[in-house]
Amino acid sequence: MTVAINTREGWSAFVSETLDQPIPITREELEALLPGDRAMNREARKQFMIRGPVVNTAQFTAIEREILRRLMLNQYKSHGKLGVIVSGEPNIGKTTTVSHIARRFERRRRDIGRAGGSNSIPVIYVSVPPSCTPKLMLGEFAHFLGLPIRPHYNTGELMNTVASVIAACGTELVVVDEIHNINQKYKQMGEASDTLKQLSEKCPGTFVYAGVDVEASGLLDGTRGRQISSRFQIMHLQKFENSGKARTHWADLLVAVETSLGLLDQETGAILRHASHLHTATGGVIGDLTGMLHMLAMDAIDDGTERLDLDAVFGTKPTPAPRDVSAAR
């Protein structure tokens, strides 16, 4: 059973999870396996496809670089800490991006021997609840940390409790997802924004916000919003285009996802025959693209065809694949 990553246990499991890529196998070798081993291979390939490493795109790399830069800068700042806001349309990959960047950050700490003791919590991940109030916001942090919330606690007491635990645990990165649920024009939500600001000043960690179209959400409105804008670098996750110079990035993404599917009879680069069709169908949104291709790939693994039949999906006739796909690798 998968535990939500907005708890310490769930986050730790997410960070620690390691999926070994199935050993490459030919169709002949697959068919030679015993039925049970054949079924295990198919399940392993589907699991790795869905839960394996995230596809590194230029946008992902740029956001990760900016977060790491601000993490380093904040080590020397006692106040006015800098943060990052990741904004974009729904299903564009914001949560996947920030959670995997945070995961990679924590895993690197472990690799270089900076994991800390049993009480160390390098990363905190929370989501802003709808109609958020200061107490609800702090409650999300308490929930992640596993702290009991006493009924008689007021906001100030809860703030001090949460801040002291975060400081004691040496938290370096705080991810606040669904930040668009805070709209400054509503008093309680504005106060919830103030709560996050106060918490950031009391804690050593760097804050990263992620949300849907943050600039239009109301978070950055008014005086409070201007203060956030002055300290947070807004990074946009955008749709992939399939025209001009951007066409190469779309092709890169298609081949990267195609390779991750683990289909035995999928010719590398064959997906590029349908670059335009796939862009029309998904609008260049990475979440829609991977969702569509993962469904098709699971069907291909289960029915034994082991390749994407995009001609059937789009009602087109087979055409030769581009000869040179090196640019898309």
Side-chain angles (χ1 to χ4, degrees):
M1 178 178 175
T2 302
V3 183
I5 62 173
N6 65 339
T7 66
R8 183 178 179 183
E9 296 76 15
W11 179 261
S12 181
F14 173 65
V15 172
S16 300
E17 181 182 47
T18 300
L19 287 176
D20 294 326
Q21 185 169 8
I23 297 173
I25 191 173
T26 64
R27 176 179 283 276
E28 291 74 19
E29 291 169 333
L30 179 67
E31 296 302 326
L33 295 175
L34 294 173
D37 292 335
R38 192 158 55 242
M40 287 179 60
N41 174 273
R42 286 171 172 159
E43 288 305 309
R45 284 189 287 138
K46 287 190 288 186
Q47 184 174 161
F48 186 80
M49 171 180 63
I50 300 297
R51 299 168 61 187
V54 68
V55 176
N56 276 354
T57 65
Q59 295 183 69
F60 181 97
T61 300
I63 292 170
E64 181 175 42
R65 184 186 304 117
E66 188 62 30
I67 290 173
L68 294 178
R69 285 179 66 233
R70 291 182 174 240
L71 268 163
M72 184 171 61
L73 286 168
N74 286 339
Q75 292 177 8
Y76 306 101
K77 295 176 71 69
S78 59
H79 63 280
K81 295 186 181 71
L82 305 175
V84 173
I85 295 174
V86 179
S87 177
E89 296 181 13
N91 208 30
I92 204 78
K94 300 175 298 299
T95 296
T96 298
T97 296
V98 295
S99 62
H100 277 80
I101 288 173
R103 179 178 188 262
R104 281 159 55 129
F105 167 73
E106 185 164 337
R107 288 175 70 101
R108 279 195 295 267
R109 289 178 83 265
R110 294 182 182 182
D111 292 342
I112 63 175
R114 292 183 58 208
S118 59
N119 292 327
S120 176
I121 305 178
V123 174
I124 289 175
Y125 175 94
V126 299
S127 291
V128 178
S131 303
C132 188
T133 65
K135 199 165 185 177
L136 282 175
M137 189 70 260
L138 290 169
E140 291 297 310
F141 283 89
H143 176 65
F144 182 94
L145 296 167
L147 300 176
I149 302 178
R150 310 294 183 192
H152 63 274
Y153 272 6
N154 59 39
T155 301
E157 290 171 327
L158 190 54
M159 166 71 78
N160 290 333
T161 299
V162 168
S164 62
V165 171
I166 292 176
C169 293
T171 300
E172 297 180 58
L173 183 61
V174 179
V175 177
V176 183
D177 206 351
E178 306 293 327
I179 196 66
H180 56 268
N181 283 331
I182 293 181
N183 187 329
Q184 303 280 12
K185 72 179 181 179
Y186 298 105
K187 181 180 178 181
Q188 285 191 322
M189 293 187 190
E191 292 172 350
S193 176
D194 290 342
T195 298
L196 283 174
K197 180 177 180 293
Q198 293 169 27
L199 191 61
S200 71
E201 296 296 348
K202 289 176 176 286
C203 303
T206 295
F207 279 61
V208 174
Y209 296 165
V212 175
D213 296 331
V214 175
E215 296 93 327
S217 69
L219 175 72
L220 305 180
D221 293 350
T223 302
R224 291 186 178 104
R226 288 193 294 273
Q227 289 179 332
I228 295 172
S229 297
S230 68
R231 295 183 181 181
F232 281 75
Q233 176 67 41
I234 300 179
M235 306 288 289
H236 294 96
L237 272 175
Q238 299 174 330
K239 297 177 180 179
F240 285 80
E241 299 297 332
N242 189 36
S243 59
K245 294 181 179 179
R247 182 173 293 154
T248 300
H249 297 302
W250 179 242
D252 289 344
L253 176 63
L254 291 179
V255 175
V257 176
E258 177 188 49
T259 302
S260 74
L261 301 178
L263 296 174
L264 305 186
D265 292 342
Q266 180 71 20
E267 178 188 354
T268 301
I271 196 170
L272 297 179
R273 299 167 180 161
H274 294 280
S276 295
H277 295 111
L278 286 165
H279 192 272
T280 300
T282 65
V285 175
I286 189 171
D288 293 344
L289 174 72
T290 54
M292 176 183 183
L293 294 180
H294 285 168
M295 291 295 292
L296 293 172
M298 286 193 293
D299 289 342
I301 291 173
D302 288 337
D303 65 24
T305 55
E306 294 288 350
R307 66 180 181 84
L308 298 175
D309 190 359
L310 294 174
D311 289 313
V313 173
F314 295 115
T316 57
K317 295 181 180 179
T319 58
R323 290 186 178 183
D324 183 10
V325 298
S326 59
R329 289 178 178 167

